[in-house]
């Protein structure tokens, strides 16, 4: 059963991440199971790369699509310990203290999130993301308390097969929609899809 069509979107919810644990010889990623990142405050990502026109015969002969993914920020209430260890490369020592080293290696991951809509939630996945360390800040408490959030700088790039992002819409089947956060959705694009035919998809193996 197809979803009802939204007229508007608002809000941010259900941010998840799924670590890329390995790559096949063909450049296909293997993902760990998605993990919830609670306390989502805001997400702002800008498209990276602009189309360029190639001129010939005194006209625009060809348009070059320079899709370099997205850059932006994810603001959350607090970075979880799991995310700090698995993605940012921090370590727990023998006494349970979280340690940051200058030689830490960050990991790539898929990022899930959804926006509320008037009919249904629009669910997204970015397939290949990297995150920079958040700033550390705070201030003394005065008459009232104010929450200090943490902000991650995100860079989302394409997989070797060209995939950047997928999102649900009114034509998404119910099973795919309901299982969006169980594993990373991987589409199968057929040649007929270029004419508007609906594509099929599978879940990536965890």
């Amino acid at each position: 059963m197809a979803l009802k069509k939204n007229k508007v979107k608002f809000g941010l919810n259900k941010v998840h991440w799924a670590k890329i644990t390995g790559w096949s010889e063909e450049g296909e990623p293997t993902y760990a199971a998605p993990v919830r990142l609670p306390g989502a405050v805001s997400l702002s990502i800008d498209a990276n790369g602009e189309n360029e026109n190639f001129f010939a015969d005194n006209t625009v002969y060809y348009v070059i699509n320079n899709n370099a993914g997205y850059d932006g920020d994810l603001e959350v209430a607090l970075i979880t310990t799991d995310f700090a260890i698995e993605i940012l490369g921090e370590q727990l020592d023998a006494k349970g203290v979280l340690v940051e080293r200058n030689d830490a290696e960050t990991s790539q991951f898929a990022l899930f999130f959804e926006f509320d809509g008037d009919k249904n939630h629009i669910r997204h996945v970015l397939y290949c993301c990297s995150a920079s360390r958040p700033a550390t800040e705070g201030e003394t408490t005065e008459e009232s308390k104010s929450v200090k959030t943490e902000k991650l700088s995100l860079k989302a790039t394409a997989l070797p097969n060209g995939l950047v992002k997928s999102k649900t819409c009114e034509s998404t089947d119910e099973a795919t929609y309901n299982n969006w956060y169980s594993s990373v959705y991987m589409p199968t694009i057929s040649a007929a899809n270029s004419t508007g035919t609906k594509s099929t998809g599978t879940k990536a193996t965890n």
Side-chain angles (χ1 to χ4, degrees), residues 10-175:
F10 45 87
L12 172 67
N13 195 13
K14 292 188 178 179
V15 173
H16 289 66
W17 54 275
K19 182 180 178 179
I20 296 178
T21 57
W23 298 86
S24 71
E25 293 182 358
E26 293 75 27
E28 297 179 356
T30 300
Y31 295 93
V35 179
R36 180 77 179 266
L37 184 58
V41 177
S42 67
L43 175 67
S44 176
I45 53 173
D46 297 322
N48 190 5
E50 298 181 354
N51 290 347
E52 295 181 14
N53 294 332
F54 171 73
F55 290 87
D57 294 335
N58 293 325
T59 187
V60 177
Y61 195 76
Y62 182 74
V63 178
I64 303 170
N65 178 26
N66 293 321
N67 186 338
Y70 296 87
D71 291 329
D73 297 310
L74 172 63
E75 184 180 6
V76 297
L78 195 66
I79 302 300
T80 63
T81 300
D82 286 346
F83 189 90
I85 293 172
E86 295 294 332
I87 302 302
L88 300 181
E90 298 183 20
Q91 300 174 350
L92 280 179
D93 72 0
K95 296 185 178 181
V97 175
L98 196 60
V99 178
E100 178 184 323
R101 294 177 52 89
N102 67 351
D103 59 353
E105 293 187 6
T106 60
S107 297
Q108 294 174 307
F109 59 99
L111 181 70
F112 303 78
F113 55 92
E114 69 179 44
F115 297 120
D116 294 346
D118 58 311
K119 297 299 182 182
N120 55 77
H121 305 311
I122 306 168
R123 296 177 170 174
H124 298 247
V125 60
L126 292 162
Y127 289 105
C128 188
C129 296
S130 57
S132 300
R133 295 171 296 129
T136 301
E137 59 180 330
E139 61 185 25
T140 188
T141 301
E142 299 179 352
E143 288 82 1
S144 61
K145 295 180 180 178
S146 60
V147 174
K148 286 295 182 181
T149 59
E150 296 186 321
K151 186 178 292 187
L152 293 165
S153 294
L154 295 177
K155 183 177 288 293
T157 57
L159 293 174
N161 62 8
L163 287 177
V164 177
K165 182 171 76 76
S166 292
K167 69 175 182 178
T168 62
C169 62
E170 64 272 11
S171 61
T172 302
D173 68 72
E174 189 173 4

